[in-house]
Amino acid sequence: MITLQLLVNGLALGAAYALVALGFVLVLNATAAVNFAQGDLVMAGGLLAVALAPHLPAYLPLPGLLLLPVVLVLMAGLGLLLAAAAYLPLRRRPPVAVFISTIAAGIILQNGASVLFGPEPRAAPPLLSGGTLDIGGLVVAEQSLAIIAVAALLIAGQQWLFGRTQLGRRLRATAQDPEMARACGVPVTAMILVTFALGTAFAGAAGLLLANRYFVTPTAGGDLILKAYIAVTIGGWGSVPGAVAGALLIALFEVGVSSVLSYPVALGLLYATLLVILVARPQGLFGEAARRRA
Amino acid sequence: MRRFLSILSATAISAVFAASLPPGAARAGEASIPVLVPLTGFLSLEGTSQRNGAVLALKDAPAGVAVRSEVIDTGTSPEAAVTALERAAGGKVTAVAASMLGTQMLAMLPLAQDYGIPLVTVSGTASITEQGNPWVFRFFPGDAVTKEAHARYVAEELGKKRPAVIYQTTAYGQSGKAHLEQAFKKLGVEPVFEEGVDPAAKDLLPVLTKALAAKPDVLVLHLHSGPTALFIRQAAANGVAVPIVAGSAMHQPSTAALLEPAELKGVCAETAASPISGGSPEVEAFTAAYRAAFNAEPDAFALGQYDGIRMVLAAVQDGAGNAEAVRKALSAGTHQGLAMTYRSDGKGNMAHSAVIVCYDGASRVPAIAKRYDNVTGVVR
């Protein structure tokens, strides 16, 4: 029974990590730039939910669920600002310029959050309820199930957007070859802005989901960006399924392996596995476009 | 936004000290006490408490003592702390409210000795008072004190003999674990489970599961704030009946705020003091003043730093006219603070008391369950 319980917890954690990693991959694909502010954007999404929660009318049920679309929209706006401030002015410069500018943006977000919200850990409202379900002895937090459901919906939505819509095709064209896309009439700058907005909205959703179950502090983003980076490296740079698989693998080590061995040993094994994957498949488990990008 | 306003008000308070003092005005004593603490970075929660405690003490300076002060954020790097101390040392300094981050303190110590500036801190890092540096004064009990209280409460008050010890893999966690081990050994208690947890670990169910598999009769935590709350929440959700005695992070109001009162039922924690638990009119007045000034709840770090700065100001009021005189007063004197009586053990360790607080499940304000004084036997 406890194994099942750990499995559900691991899936929930992996799903939230996947959202972080997907936002990272989106920007990477569209711009070939690594957005090192992605973890801090997750933190910003969590604290945004914390800040908005008290302003919801008390009679409204399910504050977390109601906040989700609001957080998605506001974070998308923040993504546009980030693109305008940290990417567009530097896109014709060497990649390291964007690299540094996103780190700077992350530090600004961290310190801004620290000034506005204080350093203490906060909890966002639960998506459905903060309770647990007891299913024949299997104790599952409702938030864990909500995280899995929301992440699955957002990931499926992203796949639909990219695979079935005109906007998605333009985004993919921009990702594959911006110059050719521009020559074909695709508004590349607009597509880049949309990408940043989407990636940041994903980060916001992850922030809201994680901040209830695992709390949020202004400095929480540093660890998340590292995990997103590892997930993307394991899965293959640029690969959406790879990012999801990488995120789930990290969660499997953090929850599954650490339940048998100790957490530090599990973490060591995760990095050892990463090394093995990089040696055996330098492009990652699902990588292909990544080789070209990297 | 309220946090932003409280920071503005704290800055304004600092500015008022300086602005309200006419240069050369006759005073019983004058003190310049810069506050050099981490307000950003991973220690900002504790550093902010430290800053607030110092600022409140300076605001409440005794009659006849004129105070000049400025607050400088040291971040979390040793270089920033040294730069801040260099900057502060440019003027005539009476004492410094110095960072609670051990690595910053270790970097500041040689400089403090060169300049002859007493450093008044609530840092818990044991080695800062093991350098043979006469300019450091720690107004917070180190792990040698608090972990002895922690272990004694578990073994003597609760009568538990099979603790499972779960600690953080950071320097903070390792130090606490080492002292817990020694204290339990002295009490003839052998932990049935010990495991370190990385602060980045998101899910603590794995370690909880393994700990319970060892059939402990008590769960002893030494974790940072977020992981403490997460562990207790997961234990409550899983109906764990084994009592929990946590580290000092649990006494912090911001940690309790993450949990429902019912989740806290029966949970205890060690700490230097718990100002929100009251205990005396003076402590309650401090708590009320802190809430009014910062729109937040005080913790033991705030109270420890408050007491430390009050001891410096008392020395100035008693005639200590320069840094050397303040150092002598801190080294040899006794101070009845709000949290405890402070007296140096000869190395600058001023605090020798700890308390155990417990939650009743009805509120997030703990009650003091047990007080341990003179734990090191140094206070005479």
Side-chain angles (χ1 to χ4, degrees):
Chain A
M1 197 58 77
I2 193 66
T3 308
L4 271 177
Q5 204 168 319
L6 288 166
L7 182 67
V8 174
N9 280 18
L11 270 178
L13 192 58
Y17 285 165
L19 284 179
V20 185
L22 279 178
F24 189 81
V25 168
L26 269 174
V27 174
L28 177 70
N29 273 347
T31 63
V34 174
N35 177 13
F36 272 98
Q38 190 71 14
D40 297 304
L41 292 170
V42 176
M43 170 276 295
L47 284 176
L48 186 60
V50 170
L52 291 174
H55 301 293
L56 283 177
Y59 57 83
L60 287 176
L62 307 177
L65 192 61
L66 292 172
L67 279 177
L68 183 61
V70 181
V71 168
L72 286 172
V73 170
L74 290 177
M75 288 299 291
L78 180 61
L80 294 178
L81 281 177
L82 178 71
Y87 176 72
L88 292 178
L90 301 169
R91 63 176 157 166
R92 304 203 193 288
R93 304 285 171 84
V96 72
V98 174
F99 180 91
I100 297 297
S101 74
T102 57
I103 289 177
I107 291 170
I108 290 167
L109 279 172
Q110 265 183 41
N111 289 317
S114 194
V115 168
L116 288 172
F117 294 92
E120 56 268 28
R122 306 290 187 106
L127 214 64
L128 300 175
S129 87
T132 52
L133 297 174
D134 189 340
I135 311 164
L138 173 66
V139 180
V140 182
E142 288 181 22
Q143 182 71 4
S144 291
L145 298 178
I147 290 174
I148 295 168
V150 169
L153 277 174
L154 289 176
I155 291 166
Q158 188 201 355
Q159 288 294 80
W160 172 80
L161 174 76
F162 276 83
R164 307 276 178 167
T165 67
Q166 179 68 12
L167 175 62
R169 279 188 279 276
R170 290 179 169 191
L171 286 170
R172 279 191 290 142
T174 303
Q176 283 166 10
D177 193 332
E179 295 309 318
M180 183 58 76
R182 185 176 282 114
C184 295
V186 173
V188 168
T189 301
M191 292 302 103
I192 288 170
L193 286 170
V194 168
T195 304
F196 267 91
L198 273 176
T200 309
F202 272 115
L208 169 65
L209 297 170
L210 283 165
N212 172 260
R213 189 139 172 72
Y214 307 110
F215 314 127
V216 57
T217 61
T219 52
D223 177 58
L224 288 170
I225 186 63
L226 180 66
K227 281 172 181 163
Y229 203 94
I230 294 171
V232 169
T233 306
I234 289 173
W237 282 61
S239 164
V240 170
V244 176
L248 289 173
L249 191 67
I250 292 171
L252 174 73
F253 273 90
E254 278 192 21
V255 178
V257 178
S258 77
S259 69
V260 181
L261 306 168
S262 72
Y263 187 87
V265 173
L267 218 54
L269 284 177
L270 170 64
Y271 289 115
T273 306
L274 174 64
L275 277 175
V276 171
I277 290 172
L278 287 177
V279 170
R281 270 186 76 82
Q283 73 273 36
L285 296 175
F286 295 75
E288 186 207 338
R291 259 187 322 216
R292 188 163 42 79
R293 290 281 174 206
Chain B
M1 185 50 72
R2 280 187 303 183
R3 168 69 57 178
F4 182 59
L5 290 174
S6 76
I7 288 173
L8 271 182
S9 67
T11 308
I13 288 167
S14 301
V16 164
F17 300 146
S20 63
L21 304 172
R27 294 282 194 278
E30 293 196 352
S32 170
I33 307 178
V35 179
L36 316 181
V37 296
L39 300 176
T40 51
F42 69 86
L43 211 65
S44 54
L45 174 62
E46 294 84 353
T48 301
S49 287
Q50 188 187 9
R51 186 272 313 270
N52 292 351
V55 166
L56 206 56
L58 294 168
K59 185 185 166 198
D60 294 342
V65 177
V67 178
R68 278 180 289 113
S69 181
E70 63 173 330
V71 177
I72 301 176
D73 176 14
T74 58
T76 51
S77 74
E79 296 83 0
V82 166
T83 304
L85 186 56
E86 290 270 16
R87 180 177 146 189
K92 187 184 167 195
V93 177
T94 309
V96 164
S99 171
M100 65 186 306
L101 181 57
T103 49
Q104 291 193 327
M105 282 302 295
L106 289 169
M108 291 165 100
L109 279 170
L111 203 60
Q113 189 154 20
D114 289 348
Y115 285 116
I117 299 172
L119 302 182
V120 177
T121 185
V122 287
S123 172
T125 302
S127 55
I128 64 167
T129 50
E130 302 296 332
Q131 309 295 311
N133 189 318
W135 295 92
V136 62
F137 299 94
R138 186 212 311 270
F139 284 80
F140 198 81
D143 283 337
V145 173
T146 56
K147 291 299 132 184
E148 182 171 334
H150 201 166
R152 280 174 60 186
Y153 186 76
V154 165
E156 295 171 354
E157 302 300 318
L158 300 181
K160 304 300 183 187
K161 301 292 177 200
R162 295 175 55 80
V165 179
I166 296 152
Y167 58 95
Q168 218 79 78
T169 51
T170 55
Y172 160 83
Q174 300 281 357
S175 165
K177 180 235 182 187
H179 283 93
L180 270 174
E181 261 178 359
Q182 287 173 16
F184 276 131
K185 194 173 178 185
K186 213 160 70 177
L187 293 161
V189 172
E190 181 75 26
V192 294
F193 176 83
E194 288 182 322
E195 185 163 315
V197 181
D198 191 285
K202 290 285 179 217
D203 198 317
L204 297 183
L205 185 61
V207 71
L208 173 61
T209 307
K210 279 184 290 178
L212 293 177
K215 305 270 187 267
D217 55 6
V218 60
L219 295 165
V220 176
L221 309 184
H222 184 67
L223 304 169
H224 295 299
S225 175
T228 298
L230 182 59
F231 187 95
I232 289 170
R233 178 188 271 188
Q234 293 196 310
N238 287 279
V240 172
V242 181
I244 295 173
V245 185
S248 60
M250 186 60 252
H251 98 283
Q252 290 181 277
S254 54
T255 308
L258 296 169
L259 297 159
E260 293 302 320
E263 293 174 314
L264 286 165
K265 188 172 173 54
V267 171
C268 297
E270 57 81 5
T271 177
S274 175
I276 60 167
S277 302
S280 72
E282 291 80 12
V283 170
E284 281 158 21
F286 165 82
T287 302
Y290 190 99
R291 284 176 181 145
F294 307 111
N295 193 30
E297 298 291 321
D299 60 17
F301 299 119
L303 191 53
Q305 192 66 49
Y306 178 87
D307 280 346
I309 297 298
R310 293 287 296 175
M311 187 172 181
V312 171
L313 293 172
V316 174
Q317 190 183 31
D318 291 345
N322 56 39
E324 170 60 17
V326 168
R327 186 194 69 75
K328 282 184 180 161
L330 295 180
S331 301
T334 301
H335 179 68
Q336 181 58 57
L338 297 184
M340 64 188 78
T341 301
Y342 297 92
R343 185 184 179 93
S344 176
D345 64 352
K347 295 177 175 178
N349 295 308
M350 309 294 285
H352 312 283
S353 299
V355 295
I356 302 292
V357 296
C358 295
Y359 295 85
D360 63 3
S363 87
R364 294 188 178 94
V365 177
I368 293 177
K370 181 78 181 169
R371 183 175 180 88
Y372 294 89
D373 284 318
N374 305 335
V375 172
T376 57
V378 175
V379 177
R380 292 179 286 272

